[in-house]
Amino acid sequence: MIPAHRQARSISQHVKHIGSDHLKRRYSTNDGMLRYKRIRSHFFMDTFQVTAKAISEHGNRYMQLFISGKGYMYVHPMKEKSEIVDAVKAFAKEIGVPTDLILDQTGEQRSKELSKVTKEMCCPLKYLKRATCHSLCFFFCVP
């Protein structure tokens, strides 16, 4: 029988890896999608602007609303409309990533940066058609 301290020395893997590349691993999947919790629900997203009298003490003039079809609501305050990407990241971090985000076709919601961030989270964006009755039907008919 081998003494424990000798056996520990023989199976230990204490090796100095200075500047070696043999420990780098390349995965075929995107592990960015694994960072967030998943929500099995559709969420609607819209940006609201407040009046000049209602600006908050922190200077927030806009708010990003995330509303589920089941009645859950999340609000993220913003100073500029361009902070929509930060709002989506905060929503994903605090609440989770929905099956898809449904939004209208305004300029800030069609940005390439927003589509890139949601693609990394594996959250598809669905855009409502402008000025059609289908946009309201879609809101009330999604389970």
Side-chain angles (χ1 to χ4, degrees):
M1 181 173 295
I2 303 171
H5 68 278
R6 250 210 253 102
Q7 186 173 5
R9 268 189 289 167
S10 67
I11 63 171
S12 69
Q13 297 179 2
H14 297 293
V15 180
K16 291 184 180 180
H17 300 285
I18 300 172
S20 64
D21 290 337
H22 75 279
L23 289 179
K24 291 183 180 177
R25 293 176 176 88
R26 295 188 180 156
Y27 297 105
S28 61
T29 60
N30 180 9
D31 64 344
M33 66 175 273
L34 303 175
R35 292 183 198 138
Y36 306 104
K37 294 181 285 188
R38 298 282 156 191
I39 303 171
R40 292 187 182 195
S41 179
H42 303 280
F43 269 81
F44 300 91
M45 184 172 82
D46 204 3
T47 307
F48 284 89
Q49 180 179 2
V50 298
T51 61
K53 294 179 183 178
I55 295 175
S56 72
E57 293 176 3
H58 298 288
N60 296 319
R61 296 192 62 180
Y62 303 96
M63 62 180 168
Q64 192 66 34
L65 288 178
F66 298 88
I67 304 167
S68 75
K70 298 177 182 175
Y72 181 80
M73 185 186 327
Y74 176 80
V75 179
H76 184 81
M78 301 185 302
K79 293 180 182 177
E80 299 290 329
K81 282 186 177 183
S82 60
E83 297 176 9
I84 190 169
V85 176
D86 298 331
V88 171
K89 286 180 182 178
F91 174 72
K93 186 175 181 180
E94 289 183 35
I95 308 302
V97 177
T99 54
D100 51 4
L101 276 174
I102 303 164
L103 40 112
D104 55 356
Q105 297 185 8
T106 58
E108 68 274 357
Q109 294 184 357
R110 293 200 57 92
S111 69
K112 291 180 181 179
E113 189 179 359
L114 178 64
S115 62
K116 178 184 173 187
V117 167
T118 54
K119 196 177 286 186
E120 287 175 359
M121 290 190 272
C122 291
C123 177
L125 297 175
K126 292 185 178 178
Y127 292 99
L128 297 174
K129 295 179 182 175
R130 290 186 184 193
T132 61
C133 64
H134 296 291
S135 61
L136 288 175
C137 292
F138 191 69
F139 178 78
F140 292 111
C141 296
V142 170

